[in-house]
Amino acid sequence: IATGSDAPVEERLVQVMAALLRGFAEEPYVPRLLFEQVVFAEDDVIDRFAEHFGHEHLDAIRRLLEDGPSQGRFRRVDLEMAVAAIGGVCIFFAAASPLVQRLMNLDPLTADNVDDIARRAADLLTHGLAAAKP
């Protein structure tokens, strides 16, 4: 995942989330496999997955969250919790896509809408639920 652009960190967050979601849209079995084979797997399976997939993606998110405060764009947060939340949003949305569609009347995850979904999710994550300041 490329995060080295000069774009504002908010836009880079959208790019990272869109890249994750795009991968899940292209290989829709992967997020479900994560839950089925990794979450409930033996330690050696989890370790192999972490080495192959987890570190690269989570490190990209971590770098963005470290850049944000230095650019005056994000407040300092618990990095590990924020990384888990961002990754979790992407994985859950993809893995539970059929349920999300039915319960929340959201569009299914496709290659055509990952950018929109990533932008909407990143907006929620960067601005939270707090009321806009006057």
Side-chain angles (χ1 to χ4, degrees):
I1 293 176
T3 59
S5 77
D6 292 330
V9 289
E10 296 93 342
E11 185 57 36
R12 290 169 40 213
L13 177 60
V14 171
Q15 292 169 4
V16 167
M17 292 179 75
L20 281 168
L21 290 168
R22 189 169 292 106
F24 293 149
E26 291 170 0
E27 304 288 347
Y29 63 88
V30 169
R32 291 183 189 161
L33 183 66
L34 288 175
F35 284 107
E36 185 179 307
Q37 296 295 317
V38 175
V39 174
F40 301 109
E42 299 295 323
D43 286 345
D44 62 322
V45 174
I46 295 169
D47 291 342
R48 284 194 309 259
F49 172 79
E51 277 303 311
H52 177 70
F53 175 82
H55 291 298
E56 173 189 359
H57 295 83
L58 297 180
D59 286 347
I61 296 168
R62 190 176 289 107
R63 284 191 301 274
L64 283 172
L65 295 173
E66 289 170 343
D67 288 348
S70 66
Q71 294 178 10
R73 307 297 294 187
F74 293 161
R75 65 184 177 91
R76 294 204 183 282
V77 296
D78 179 320
L79 281 180
E80 298 312 317
M81 183 58 70
V83 169
I86 292 166
V89 165
C90 293
I91 292 169
F92 177 79
F93 194 90
S97 189
L99 180 63
V100 168
Q101 291 169 47
R102 289 172 179 82
L103 288 177
M104 299 168 210
N105 199 29
L106 293 173
D107 292 332
L109 181 64
T110 67
D112 294 331
N113 68 5
V114 293
D115 291 323
D116 179 58
I117 291 170
R119 188 165 305 287
R120 291 165 60 195
D123 178 69
L124 176 63
L125 290 165
T126 56
H127 297 101
L129 300 174
K133 295 178 182 175

